Amino acid sequence: DAGVIQSPRHEVTEMGQEVTLRCKPISGHNSLFWYRQTMMRGLELLIYFNNNVPIDDSGMPEDRFSAKMPNASFSTLKIQPSEPRDSAVYFCASRPDGGSNQPQHFGDGTRLSIL
Amino acid sequence: KQEVTQIPAALSVPEGENLVLNCSFTDSAIYNLQWFRQDPGKGLTSLLLIQSSQREQTSGRLNASLDKSSGRSTLYIAASQPGDSATYLCAVRNAGNMLTFGGGTRLMVKP
């Protein structure tokens, strides 16, 4: 079991640039979640998908943020244009269906720094 | 809106001690509560998940309890070891599949 795979692990870019974060969920997991972690705000849910369909994007901070899940094995989180306050660690997690009591499995995150 | 609080924010203990981490939440209408461990530079690893109908779950030296009516959970770690040093987060799941996380307790177990 490869676990949830995120890329890149680290990203440093200048403000105004487009940033794309990638996630491969665990095979067979039907739900996928994008989180952001900062010292000030802790872990916040940005958006989650079920069967590739966005279900709740109320955590997406601004229109600069967008997420897609074109198929069951791949999702992207895009920031365009990026700003220094977007600097954070972004986590992807996946979870199998089968009731409400399955744990989420997290990737190792992408550490994003916007200069 | 659900709010989750963890106390203490940081804890340093000598090896071998038994310790308790606390988690409280404001909305008791939860589906489940999870305890996670996060190592520096890593993602979260699920330790224990307690369903709303359960009172506790155990895994090895870890025991988590849940008192839904009072909005509290504790994570008990027996005979702590230096390898237990990490940040421990609790998260509650309400309706809609969303997890709300506490701010975490940063644990240091000194040899």
Side-chain angles (χ1 to χ4, degrees), chain A residues 61-66 78-83 85-86:
Chain A
E62 300 172 34
D63 291 345
R64 299 183 297 106
F65 286 69
S66 63
K78 187 172 294 187
I79 308 172
Q80 167 63 22
S82 57
E83 296 183 4
R85 61 196 168 113
D86 302 331

Side-chain angles (χ1 to χ4, degrees), chain A residues 50-65:
Chain A
N50 186 256
N51 293 322
N52 312 338
V53 176
I55 303 299
D56 190 327
D57 65 355
S58 58
M60 296 285 263
E62 300 172 34
D63 291 345
R64 299 183 297 106
F65 286 69

Side-chain angles (χ1 to χ4, degrees), chain A residues 9 31 33 35 37 42-43 45 48 50 55-56 58 91 95 99-109 111, chain B residues 31-32 34 36 38 40-46 49-52 89 93 96-103 106:
Chain A
R9 287 299 315 278
S31 295
F33 306 81
Y35 292 90
Q37 186 176 39
L43 260 168
L45 177 67
Y48 86 89
N50 186 256
I55 303 299
D56 190 327
S58 58
F91 288 102
R95 193 190 72 195
S100 63
N101 290 309
Q102 296 290 329
Q104 293 183 17
H105 299 258
F106 282 72
D108 284 343
R111 185 172 297 275
Chain B
Y31 281 129
N32 60 49
Q34 277 187 261
F36 292 88
Q38 185 175 27
K42 294 288 188 178
L44 280 66
T45 300
S46 181
L49 184 150
I50 312 176
Q51 300 178 26
S52 60
L89 296 124
R93 183 182 167 192
N97 260 330
M98 297 173 65
L99 288 181
T100 304
F101 283 84
R106 194 169 59 255

Side-chain angles (χ1 to χ4, degrees), chain B residues 5-84:
Chain B
T5 304
Q6 291 187 245
I7 295 173
L11 182 63
S12 181
V13 300
E15 181 177 6
E17 273 203 10
N18 303 323
L19 55 99
V20 174
L21 308 181
N22 296 292
C23 173
S24 61
F25 47 95
T26 54
D27 182 355
S28 61
I30 66 171
Y31 281 129
N32 60 49
L33 182 145
Q34 277 187 261
W35 282 94
F36 292 88
R37 169 185 174 138
Q38 185 175 27
D39 292 285
K42 294 288 188 178
L44 280 66
T45 300
S46 181
L47 298 173
L48 291 164
L49 184 150
I50 312 176
Q51 300 178 26
S52 60
S53 58
Q54 295 177 323
R55 299 283 290 186
E56 66 177 349
Q57 281 285 332
T58 298
S59 176
R61 293 182 294 107
L62 305 179
N63 176 276
S65 68
L66 174 64
D67 184 342
K68 203 172 72 160
S69 60
S70 67
R72 294 182 183 180
S73 176
T74 61
L75 179 67
Y76 176 82
I77 303 177
S80 58
Q81 302 171 358
D84 295 330

Side-chain angles (χ1 to χ4, degrees), chain A residues 1-111:
Chain A
D1 185 352
V4 176
I5 299 173
Q6 291 186 246
S7 64
R9 287 299 315 278
H10 304 274
E11 175 89 12
V12 181
T13 192
E14 294 185 346
M15 66 177 292
Q17 298 296 308
E18 178 179 291
V19 173
T20 300
L21 311 181
R22 297 173 176 79
C23 175
K24 177 178 168 56
I26 294 173
S27 177
H29 284 195
N30 300 88
S31 295
L32 183 140
F33 306 81
W34 281 101
Y35 292 90
R36 178 172 66 176
Q37 186 176 39
T38 61
M39 287 291 292
M40 291 296 294
R41 300 173 68 91
L43 260 168
E44 303 173 286
L45 177 67
L46 300 176
I47 186 172
Y48 86 89
F49 294 84
N50 186 256
N51 293 322
N52 312 338
V53 176
I55 303 299
D56 190 327
D57 65 355
S58 58
M60 296 285 263
E62 300 172 34
D63 291 345
R64 299 183 297 106
F65 286 69
S66 63
K68 293 182 180 179
M69 192 164 185
N71 57 62
S73 59
F74 184 66
S75 177
T76 59
L77 178 67
K78 187 172 294 187
I79 308 172
Q80 167 63 22
S82 57
E83 296 183 4
R85 61 196 168 113
D86 302 331
S87 299
V89 182
Y90 290 80
F91 288 102
C92 175
S94 69
R95 193 190 72 195
D97 269 351
S100 63
N101 290 309
Q102 296 290 329
Q104 293 183 17
H105 299 258
F106 282 72
D108 284 343
T110 294
R111 185 172 297 275

